[in-house]
Amino acid sequence: MRNLLALLCLGLLLAGCQTAPRRPAPPDLIGTAAPAGFPASVRLVTTDQKNFAVLAPAFFSGLRDAVATDGSLDILALSGGGSGGAYGAGALAGMTRAHARPRFEMVTGVSAGALLAPFAFLGPDWDARMHDAFTGERSAELLRSPARNILSRLLSPRGLPHHNALFKLVDHFVSPQMIVAVAREAASGRRLVVATTDLDKHETVLWDLGEIARHGGEKARALFRDVLVASASVPGVFPPALIRVREGGEEYDEMHVDGGVTTSVFSTPLIAGIQSTDLPLLRGAHLYMIVNGQLARTPRTTRYNTVDILANALAAELTYKTREAVVDNIAASHRLGMQFRLTEIPVDYPQANFIDFDQAQMQALYDYAADCAARGLLWLTPEQSVRRNMATQHAPVSDAPACPAAAPASSP
């Protein structure tokens, strides 16, 4: 920790004289720029009303076709949370064990949730690879890399985004087989959507990974991978992803970082709530939200150093953004008659900070969530979650925390 603090201090001294090489960003807030070799329809800036109106009919008609296979629309929204992503992975694995895992017609993800989203989308056959991705040695490398990455990025930024531990982790698991499998499922109408933050625009961008995968080949795999890397690239911990785009015959670079900078979790595009108060296909849908973090925290003394202060500030920001998203989704679910279920890491679970990728802790969190899900003790109504987390007193951190739905305060 002291070494990381020293590197951060050095970074403050050097940051003013280091500029990473890149092309200029596209000049328009809402334009026609698209990744080279792909149509503009593979993504949406969330404030782009015009393109939403153009893309929505095909997007939702595809979902209608997917729903026809089992008669219900099941949506899974996966939040950010860094190392807390092991919670979501365990939850899905436990649902598989209990034979209670829906075939989700739409899966959305942000940050750690974006990394989890393809596994959630592809279903139980990918559980073993999901477990490895969130608890294996490659994920443990994320714990050892931040200090080294920060110094290296400051002193020699060229090329480093393709050599950090996050890139290597994602590049390994985004295999040609994954791209083929996602493309096959997307062809049935199912949707896989993740968010990044475009730093040049200060906007959330939603990426249709299914459509990207359907283009096939190494170009599709590379863009699929780079979007996932960008969505999980916490600023200051991992370098941003530069995504090459073309517009009007010119090439530009867009700088994308962690989707959690602008949105913590989502079930429908922001513009959907602005443009239309009635999305007929969503009426009666089942919305499942996995929060890969805690929505309340037992007080712990923050040490007076830059690293702890920054880590806690980021965690507090994520907590409040996620609470706001939960409240927004409560309103939307009431309006559309959706059944909304939520799970989160309980306040008394002994969770480390969200950038602590210790392998043993991530395995313990995975096992905890898997056990709760297998026993049918995973899901709360969002109202139950809000009541529990707004209680005046919280249980102290426990070595044997109760499952989310077993907590006394979660009862109606």
Side-chain angles (χ1 to χ4, degrees):
M1 187 66 77
R2 290 179 181 175
N3 290 338
L4 179 56
L5 177 57
L7 292 175
L8 285 171
C9 292
L10 176 60
L12 294 175
L13 296 175
L14 296 176
C17 59
Q18 296 293 327
T19 302
R22 60 165 296 189
R23 285 174 168 80
D28 299 323
L29 174 61
I30 304 296
T32 59
F38 294 86
S41 58
V42 299
R43 64 188 193 160
L44 176 73
V45 176
T46 56
T47 52
D48 186 349
Q49 286 185 307
K50 181 178 179 181
N51 278 330
F52 177 79
V54 171
L55 297 175
F59 185 94
F60 287 109
S61 66
L63 278 179
R64 187 177 298 109
D65 293 339
V67 168
T69 62
D70 62 11
S72 67
L73 175 58
D74 297 300
I75 300 170
L76 175 65
L78 300 163
S79 86
S83 57
Y87 179 78
L92 289 165
M95 292 171 72
T96 298
R97 294 176 198 170
H99 304 287
R101 182 167 166 180
R103 177 181 181 268
F104 297 107
E105 279 71 34
M106 182 163 70
V107 177
T108 71
V110 179
S111 195
L115 301 186
L116 181 57
F119 298 106
F121 184 73
L122 292 175
D125 288 347
W126 288 72
D127 280 3
R129 278 163 282 196
M130 175 179 69
H131 175 265
D132 191 20
F134 282 87
T135 67
E137 181 60 31
R138 285 182 174 84
S139 65
E141 281 295 316
L142 299 175
L143 176 67
R144 295 186 276 273
S145 66
R148 182 170 65 246
N149 283 347
I150 290 169
L151 181 59
S152 298
R153 190 162 64 255
L154 288 166
L155 296 179
S156 180
R158 187 184 299 274
L160 282 172
H162 290 75
H163 293 87
N164 70 80
L166 176 60
F167 180 92
K168 292 177 181 178
L169 172 73
V170 179
D171 187 59
H172 174 78
F173 287 102
V174 177
S175 62
Q177 293 78 12
M178 174 179 279
I179 298 303
V180 170
V182 169
R184 182 175 58 248
E185 294 301 321
S188 73
R190 298 177 66 214
R191 303 302 186 194
L192 173 60
V193 184
V194 304
T196 65
T197 296
D198 184 333
L199 277 186
D200 303 313
K201 291 184 174 73
H202 292 192
E203 293 287 352
T204 304
V205 180
L206 303 183
W207 298 82
D208 187 337
L209 293 185
E211 184 170 350
I212 291 173
R214 291 182 69 183
H215 279 71
E218 179 56 25
K219 279 191 175 180
R221 192 191 80 85
L223 181 59
F224 192 107
R225 173 203 63 205
D226 290 348
V227 169
L228 292 182
V229 170
S231 186
S233 290
V234 179
V237 178
F238 298 106
L242 292 178
I243 296 179
R244 183 68 46 82
V245 298
R246 292 184 62 86
E247 184 174 30
E250 298 290 333
E251 286 196 339
Y252 302 93
D253 282 345
E254 294 177 343
M255 183 177 285
H256 289 258
V257 297
D258 188 351
V261 170
T262 49
T263 186
S264 59
V265 63
F266 68 97
S267 55
T268 57
L270 169 66
I271 196 66
I274 298 172
Q275 183 158 310
S276 173
T277 57
D278 187 21
L279 297 173
L281 182 62
L282 298 183
R283 289 199 167 275
H286 303 120
L287 172 59
Y288 299 82
M289 182 177 289
I290 297 179
V291 175
N292 292 303
Q294 294 171 312
L295 293 178
R297 170 184 164 105
T298 298
R300 303 167 208 165
T301 301
T302 301
R303 290 183 295 181
Y304 207 100
N305 65 58
T306 302
V307 173
D308 277 13
I309 291 169
L310 286 175
N312 278 291
L314 289 171
E317 180 182 29
L318 177 62
T319 297
Y320 267 78
K321 280 183 182 176
T322 307
R323 286 178 185 170
E324 290 173 353
V326 169
V327 171
D328 289 343
N329 278 273
I330 289 174
S333 64
H334 287 169
R335 187 178 74 244
L336 295 171
M338 299 169 71
Q339 296 181 20
F340 184 7
R341 298 168 186 167
L342 177 146
T343 188
E344 65 195 75
I345 303 174
V347 66
D348 58 336
Y349 187 88
Q351 186 188 24
N353 71 65
F354 75 104
I355 59 173
D356 185 352
F357 294 91
D358 178 78
Q359 199 170 359
Q361 291 193 41
M362 292 184 72
Q363 181 66 59
L365 182 57
Y366 176 98
D367 290 340
Y368 166 79
D371 177 67
C372 291
R375 293 193 288 139
L377 296 174
L378 188 69
W379 299 104
L380 306 167
T381 68
E383 291 84 1
Q384 288 170 338
S385 171
V386 169
R387 284 200 302 271
R388 181 178 66 187
N389 290 316
M390 294 185 70
T392 55
Q393 291 185 338
H394 292 300
V397 171
S398 170
D399 291 332
C403 289
S410 70
S411 56

